[in-house]
Amino acid sequence: GDFWRRQRKLAQPAFHRSRMTRFASRMVEATDAMLTRWARVTPRTDTLDVHAEMMRLTFQIVGQTLFSTDVDAESASIGRALTYALRHADDFAQSIVRLPPWLPTPANGRFHRAKKTLDDLVYRIVSERRRTATDHGDLLSMLMEAKDETTSEGMNDAQLRDEIMTIVLAGHETTANAMSWTLSLLSRHPDIERKLHAEVREVLGTRPPGLEDMGNLKYTRMVLEEAMRLYPPVWAFEREAIESDQVLGYEIPRGAIVGMSPYTLHRHPSYWENPEGFDPERFRAGAAESRPKYAYIPFGGGPRICIGNAFAMMEAQIILAMIVQRVRVDLVPGHPVVPEAVVTLRPKYGVRVTLTPRAAG
């Protein structure tokens, strides 16, 4: 309703393209630090969980772009808290008998401790920022400075907390999942990986990417879009009907919860040829005209489309281009890479890989 419209209007300017240049440089710095750490891994021998690495990296990027704060030291505890909170929310949503959150059960207790870990971080940073009243040029400063054009009111701490928690989840968990699935698919399709590397080498050479390069890294974006078709980071979501409606002959009463599944839509044979195949060419220029607009909705659609979709795509393009530029990522034979459908679509056992450095130039 009106409250959502107000919040959306207040938050929207923070994601304007003109703000993205500063964010891009912070993404590059964080990715470079990760790749420098990877350079100490023994090539083709040592293994690492690239999903854990992506979770750590995207959390660092959230910390820098949202808070202008190095949150690497807290990434492990925050990661555990987010993981438990997501699984608890998923279990609650799917339960036939839903025990109220205030009931002192062991599961509720663990959830409240996880929530407190997340809230403590957010409220501490908001409190410090209010005390210093310094504009850091990050997303938090933009959200704190936003004023309602009618009332001139800004967001209170609770509203800021809700917006920040959404951004932390959307800019951390989902992007990490998208990168993990993309790297897994590229290892299984070396022909596509070689074509991707050729584009990165042609566009960037050995220099890091910038915002101005995003339009030229076309195949990089196509690879990401196709990976998110097969493994959309948010595999399903729900909407509440604000009025009664009828869809394809089905009566939808007011207040009904309607579920939509990007995972199912993205693999529907009516909209996609060879739907289980990995083919980035589906997203070449003009290809989308042959399918319905909402056959592909990794960021949702309509007025409530993900507010940070451009931010997330830029982040993913930068990370993928820099990884492919510096190393080849190969799956460890026999390690199971299978989806786990909680609130997001995670690789259940991680993604174990070996690394092979690229020759300079």
Side-chain angles (χ1 to χ4, degrees):
D2 291 339
F3 178 74
W4 172 81
R5 288 187 197 89
R6 174 185 180 273
Q7 290 297 103
R8 179 83 177 199
K9 200 168 184 179
L10 286 173
Q12 190 73 58
F15 294 94
H16 194 274
R17 184 175 174 81
S18 62
R19 309 274 193 177
M20 293 294 174
T21 302
R22 184 180 301 178
F23 298 153
S25 64
R26 295 180 184 184
M27 294 169 183
V28 167
E29 289 168 7
T31 307
D32 181 69
M34 179 193 72
L35 291 168
T36 300
R37 193 175 72 251
W38 283 11
R40 297 192 287 271
V41 173
T42 305
R44 297 179 294 277
T45 303
D46 290 346
T47 71
L48 56 79
D49 179 1
V50 80
H51 179 60
E53 292 289 309
M54 292 300 102
M55 291 285 279
R56 179 179 176 182
L57 171 61
T58 56
F59 187 62
Q60 285 180 303
I61 289 173
V62 161
Q64 287 297 326
T65 57
L66 179 58
F67 302 129
S68 296
T69 300
D70 185 352
V71 293
D72 191 45
E74 295 168 293
S75 62
S77 61
I78 295 296
R80 286 193 297 271
L82 272 174
T83 296
Y84 187 81
L86 284 170
R87 287 183 174 149
H88 183 84
D90 189 63
D91 290 344
F92 182 84
Q94 295 190 44
S95 295
I96 296 174
V97 178
R98 296 180 179 177
L99 298 178
W102 52 261
L103 206 65
T105 65
N108 281 343
R110 287 190 295 272
F111 170 72
H112 287 299
R113 287 192 292 275
K115 179 176 176 293
K116 185 176 186 301
T117 298
L118 299 171
D119 284 347
D120 284 352
L121 171 68
V122 172
Y123 282 126
R124 188 187 78 233
I125 292 172
V126 169
S127 175
E128 290 171 357
R129 191 66 63 85
R130 287 206 190 279
R131 188 171 64 251
T132 60
T134 303
D135 181 1
H136 291 261
D138 52 23
L139 287 169
L140 178 56
S141 287
M142 295 172 201
L143 291 172
M144 292 179 75
E145 290 169 6
K147 298 287 187 288
D148 186 285
E149 60 186 25
T150 304
T151 65
S152 298
E153 291 181 356
M155 297 186 206
N156 61 35
D157 284 1
Q159 290 164 351
L160 277 170
R161 178 262 180 210
D162 289 349
E163 298 299 332
I164 289 165
M165 201 61 71
T166 300
I167 295 169
V168 168
L169 177 61
H172 163 50
E173 169 88 10
T174 53
T175 305
N177 289 343
M179 294 307 307
S180 300
W181 292 118
T182 300
L183 293 168
S184 170
L185 287 162
L186 287 171
S187 176
R188 292 192 174 102
H189 297 83
D191 54 332
I192 294 173
E193 196 271 350
R194 284 190 290 269
K195 185 173 179 179
L196 172 61
H197 177 240
E199 177 186 80
V200 170
R201 187 175 56 208
E202 179 183 346
V203 173
L204 300 177
T206 57
R207 67 174 176 82
L211 180 62
E212 68 280 1
D213 294 307
M214 297 300 100
N216 294 322
L217 291 168
K218 294 182 175 64
Y219 194 70
T220 306
R221 185 182 179 98
M222 288 161 59
V223 166
L224 289 162
E225 288 174 324
E226 174 68 346
M228 288 192 295
R229 182 188 69 81
L230 286 169
Y231 297 100
V234 179
W235 66 277
F237 56 89
E238 296 170 333
R239 293 289 181 263
E240 181 179 346
I242 59 174
E243 296 294 346
S244 298
D245 205 347
Q246 189 179 81
V247 179
L248 299 176
Y250 291 92
E251 294 295 331
I252 310 293
R254 179 180 179 178
I257 301 298
V258 180
M260 287 152 277
S261 174
Y263 186 93
T264 304
L265 274 172
H266 294 180
R267 293 169 183 254
H268 199 297
S270 295
Y271 310 129
W272 308 94
E273 184 180 345
N274 184 22
E276 299 292 331
F278 180 54
D279 181 11
E281 294 297 328
R282 300 179 205 272
F283 293 93
R284 67 186 182 278
E289 296 171 7
S290 64
R291 55 183 175 260
K293 180 180 179 181
Y294 294 115
Y296 182 68
I297 50 170
F299 295 103
R304 291 175 182 266
I305 191 170
C306 173
I307 195 171
N309 57 350
F311 178 99
M313 282 306 301
M314 178 181 72
E315 179 183 13
Q317 276 183 280
I318 286 172
I319 294 171
L320 184 58
M322 291 183 70
I323 290 175
V324 169
Q325 188 181 48
R326 306 259 282 269
V327 296
R328 193 183 75 232
V329 177
D330 295 317
L331 290 170
V332 171
H335 179 79
V337 181
V338 295
E340 180 183 26
V342 284
V343 175
T344 60
L345 194 65
R346 293 179 161 201
K348 185 172 185 177
Y349 306 108
V351 181
R352 294 218 69 85
V353 302
T354 57
L355 306 175
T356 303
R358 302 280 190 193

